[in-house]
Amino acid sequence: MFSVASTMTAAQTLIALLCTPLVSAVWITFFLRRAGVLASYLSVAAAGAICIFSFQAIHHLDGSTLHASWDWLRLGGFEVQMGFLFDDVAATMLAMVAFVGFLIHVFSLGYMKADQARARFFGGLSIFMFSMLGIILADNLIMIFVFWELVGFSSYMLIGHYLETNEAKAASKKAFIVNRIGDLGFLVGIVFAYWHFGTVNLTELEALVRAQPNLIHATIAACLMCGFIGKSAQFPLHVWLPDAMAGPTPVSALIHAATMVAAGVYFLIRIVFLFPVEVLDFITYLGTAVAVYAGFCAYAQKDIKKILAYSTLSQLGYMAAAFGLGYPGIALFHLITHAFFKALLFLGAGSVIHGCHHEQDIFKMGGLLKRMPITSITFAIGLLALCGVYGLAGFYSKDAILVACGLAQTPIFVLLTLGAFLTAGYMGRLFWITFLGEPKSEAASHAKESPLTLLLPLVILAGLSVVGGLLDLWPESLGGIIRADLDHLHHVAGHDAMHHLVLKLGSAAWVVGLLGSLFFYGAGARDDRLEKKMGPVYAFLSSKLWFDEIYDYYVAKVQQRFASLLSFLDLFVIKGVLVRGSAGIVGLRGLCARSLHVGNLHSYVYWFLGGLLLLWAAALGLF
């Protein structure tokens, strides 16, 4: 354990770590709103300081656990504390968020250089980093929820950055509302957990459950799981993630690839001791369904960022499946490697969009390998890592997940293997059409390589996508839970045979998927051949199982009408009759009488229907 002096040093480091982005956001908001250049450099400097403080805190950790807390609110006998729980899980997540976040900040310097609202953008990045760091370090469910909501607020700001466009406005509102649905269940779970256990402190909760396993309650786990379903875009709350690509590309990389959507998986790992077997099984099948569903949907997308968005959905499904199978460390492993290669892919897409003058349709690109060689090569490395090519970062984590599924002898092994074939197919489609062949638009024909501020993060992330899965290169203070789960997996009977099978199937997946997409679509195709040759299949995939249409119908035809009914009851019955009495009744009669002669067709229809009901009642002799 820590000595008193080292504990104080570590705690102070974590406080400085948490306060740095908050100070940056506040300073930008109040003093640098019209100074975009200064705001951008301040935000990047804050991200760099976060990296320094993070690695200093990890150095202090040295295999121990830091738990420090302070009283925050006291309401009678109810106390709310704010504190840090810093162990190997938090340290691993912190190292990834800090370093990848810093690289995305650097990329943003070049990508957002001409944006008139740079100050607002970088202020949003800082408040997002503050919120995300709070989730990682929090030691209790209430503190996690507070920062959880701040993440939702900051993502709303960043997704809607291009507020002059209807697409960004709609996407930001959709992300905010859909996440609040999941957060409602999360909040109910926190209240239920406090009532059931008498505490929401993570350390105390784990100690209670270890001592009395019968205290585990499926309802509490299911409610808390709702937060994960919303934040990590799982069924049925997955609809916000593809639309969120309306935000700037660095936002897509930071929020929707490396950090925010991964926060849901991280939260599950934090509270894994609260989950009974039946809830874990549900998470496994839910994640598997999302992985396969998103893989099919990606084939009907033409926007380069939306293809990557569905890829993120698919990979989150793999993480959920690993967690549900009882391997939270392997889920964390894939979370970290996925952050490296998916941030690379999103930033690579951003470099392509920047070079093509903000064109995002892959069928209007082509020939970029010659014009943007560094971007193309680094993007290819990220693609191969995502496909699980042997020796790259994605191989080690995805291989472990598939081995765990195979050893569990469940149908999910077949489905997730199918997901691997789908991944290679749609990513091959993206690469062959975008980077090979000849330019298919004026924007692509005039494309040129991005500046150094955009390329440097790509090169570094490409390196991490190659070696990031080699745990022997990680510091000993990181990845303890990952090493433990991998070691446990290696000792399960039949591991070696299953590993060899997965190696063969995984290699076949990326070879067949990439070559099959090349033969089917061709290099630099001008049209979507799936749409031309198999129109009904393409239309079905484009529908995405009509989730958006179903939700739109519910909102317009059910929820809105119910809200109108409540408004009527409030306005006419409660305020008009019950509060104002006879004066309200007279006023109500006056409004009804007025509607008879104002020429409003809708009012006449309602009067007509009312008259029909009265006539029907009289005919039945009810009077």
Side-chain angles (χ1 to χ4, degrees):
M1 296 297 290
F2 288 102
S3 66
V4 175
S6 63
T7 302
M8 289 297 295
T9 303
Q12 290 171 352
T13 301
L14 294 177
I15 293 172
L17 166 72
L18 189 59
C19 291
T20 297
L22 178 62
V23 171
S24 170
V26 170
W27 194 266
I28 290 172
T29 301
F30 286 102
F31 303 107
L32 300 177
R33 284 182 294 177
R34 300 183 185 279
V37 176
L38 290 177
S40 62
Y41 283 114
L42 176 60
S43 182
V44 173
I50 290 171
C51 275
I52 295 172
F53 287 132
S54 297
F55 291 109
Q56 184 178 356
I58 292 169
H59 174 72
H60 284 308
L61 187 63
D62 193 26
S64 301
T65 298
L66 168 64
H67 187 196
S69 60
W70 304 268
D71 288 340
W72 181 26
L73 295 173
R74 187 185 299 270
L75 302 171
F78 178 68
E79 297 181 3
V80 179
Q81 293 185 322
M82 179 176 289
F84 300 132
L85 177 58
F86 193 55
D87 54 11
D88 72 293
V89 176
T92 303
M93 187 73 174
L94 178 62
M96 182 274 289
V97 169
F99 191 66
V100 174
F102 173 67
L103 293 178
I104 293 173
H105 275 72
V106 173
F107 183 91
S108 300
L109 281 177
Y111 191 85
M112 304 298 292
K113 185 176 181 179
D115 195 285
Q116 297 299 314
R118 255 190 304 177
R120 173 160 52 85
F121 174 81
F122 279 97
L125 286 186
S126 290
I127 195 67
F128 175 83
M129 290 296 289
F130 166 71
S131 308
M132 192 66 207
L133 293 174
I135 292 176
I136 294 172
L137 299 176
D139 75 330
N140 65 80
L141 294 177
I142 294 177
M143 185 176 170
I144 290 176
F145 185 78
V146 170
F147 285 104
W148 195 270
E149 294 306 298
L150 284 173
V151 164
F153 163 72
S154 54
S155 65
Y156 169 79
M157 288 177 53
L158 291 168
I159 294 169
H161 177 74
Y162 299 128
L163 47 84
E164 68 278 0
T165 67
N166 291 328
E167 184 184 8
K169 293 177 185 177
S172 60
K173 287 189 292 185
K174 187 175 185 179
F176 189 83
I177 292 170
V178 172
N179 273 277
R180 298 296 75 73
I181 296 172
D183 294 350
L184 176 61
F186 185 6
L187 182 59
V188 172
I190 293 174
V191 174
F192 196 179
Y194 182 78
W195 176 81
H196 183 70
F197 294 104
T199 181
V200 291
N201 184 280
L202 297 178
T203 304
E204 294 174 3
L205 284 172
E206 185 171 9
L208 284 171
V209 171
R210 300 296 184 203
Q212 303 179 62
N214 60 312
L215 285 176
I216 295 177
H217 201 294
T219 304
I220 296 175
C223 289
L224 294 175
M225 179 188 65
C226 291
F228 153 74
I229 290 175
K231 199 70 74 184
S232 290
Q234 300 293 289
F235 280 146
L237 303 181
H238 63 285
V239 293
W240 68 269
L241 185 62
D243 289 12
M245 297 303 108
T249 303
V251 172
S252 303
L254 180 65
I255 295 181
H256 309 119
T259 56
M260 176 180 164
V261 292
V265 178
Y266 174 77
F267 173 62
L268 289 185
I269 296 170
R270 266 295 186 224
I271 59 171
V272 61
F273 49 84
L274 293 177
F275 284 86
V277 174
E278 56 268 26
V279 179
L280 290 175
D281 289 342
F282 176 79
I283 293 175
T284 300
Y285 288 105
L286 184 71
T288 302
V290 172
V292 178
Y293 163 83
F296 279 113
C297 289
Y299 282 92
Q301 301 301 314
K302 298 180 181 180
D303 186 313
I304 186 172
K305 288 170 63 177
K306 288 194 175 183
I307 296 172
L308 296 178
Y310 279 105
S311 171
T312 298
L313 277 178
S314 180
Q315 298 307 306
L316 288 168
Y318 279 87
M319 298 175 207
F323 177 84
L325 287 172
Y327 293 98
I330 295 176
L332 180 63
F333 190 22
H334 195 54
L335 186 158
I336 300 299
T337 60
H338 173 264
F340 295 151
F341 57 72
K342 188 54 65 65
L344 169 60
L345 290 170
F346 267 110
L347 294 186
S351 180
V352 167
I353 294 168
H354 182 272
C356 293
H357 307 286
H358 297 281
E359 177 59 65
Q360 296 185 200
D361 189 337
I362 61 173
F363 290 98
K364 295 182 181 179
M365 298 178 183
L368 297 183
L369 181 60
K370 297 178 182 178
R371 290 167 175 78
M372 306 179 70
I374 299 177
T375 297
S376 303
I377 294 171
T378 54
F379 193 95
I381 292 173
L383 183 154
L384 295 175
L386 171 62
C387 293
V389 173
Y390 182 81
L392 301 185
F395 163 78
Y396 296 102
S397 54
K398 185 178 285 188
D399 175 84
I401 293 174
L402 291 176
V403 169
C405 294
L407 293 175
Q409 297 181 348
T410 60
I412 61 173
F413 174 71
V414 177
L415 293 174
L416 290 182
T417 302
L418 171 63
F421 280 89
L422 294 174
T423 298
Y426 65 71
M427 288 305 297
R429 167 182 178 264
L430 187 160
F431 189 85
W432 310 133
I433 294 170
T434 302
F435 294 97
L436 300 186
E438 298 299 325
K440 298 181 285 293
S441 68
E442 185 177 351
S445 63
H446 290 90
K448 60 181 180 179
E449 190 59 273
S450 299
L452 182 62
T453 50
L454 274 68
L455 293 180
L456 183 60
L458 297 183
V459 173
I460 295 174
L461 286 169
L464 291 173
S465 298
V466 173
V467 303
L470 299 174
L471 289 177
D472 292 340
L473 301 179
W474 292 25
E476 286 296 323
S477 55
L478 299 180
I481 187 176
I482 298 174
R483 293 184 175 92
D485 273 4
L486 288 175
D487 183 65
H488 176 262
L489 184 65
H490 289 160
H491 288 86
V492 175
H495 170 271
D496 291 343
M498 182 56 62
H499 173 69
H500 291 140
L501 176 62
V502 168
L503 185 60
K504 295 175 183 177
L505 291 175
S507 299
W510 68 262
V511 172
V512 172
L514 292 178
L515 292 181
S517 61
L518 177 61
F519 290 136
F520 184 80
Y521 289 99
R526 293 183 175 274
D527 301 303
D528 194 326
R529 295 179 183 174
L530 180 64
E531 183 179 12
K532 293 182 66 175
K533 295 182 178 181
M534 292 182 279
V537 174
Y538 182 86
F540 177 73
L541 297 179
S542 298
S543 72
K544 298 167 286 188
L545 296 184
W546 301 281
F547 274 98
D548 285 310
E549 289 78 5
I550 293 171
Y551 288 149
D552 288 342
Y553 179 86
Y554 165 77
V555 170
K557 302 299 183 181
V558 180
Q559 181 175 294
Q560 189 61 40
R561 292 182 178 182
F562 182 67
S564 298
L565 175 62
L566 293 179
S567 177
F568 172 81
L569 294 175
D570 176 56
L571 182 63
F572 292 101
V573 179
I574 298 176
K575 293 181 180 178
V577 177
L578 297 180
V579 175
R580 299 178 63 193
S582 60
I585 295 175
V586 172
L588 179 60
R589 290 181 61 186
L591 287 173
C592 293
R594 179 176 177 271
S595 67
L596 285 170
H597 58 80
V598 294
N600 189 309
L601 182 61
H602 292 89
S603 297
Y604 294 159
V605 170
Y606 286 122
W607 276 110
F608 177 74
L609 293 175
L612 284 179
L613 288 175
L614 289 174
L615 181 62
W616 173 76
L620 292 177
L622 297 180
F623 298 140

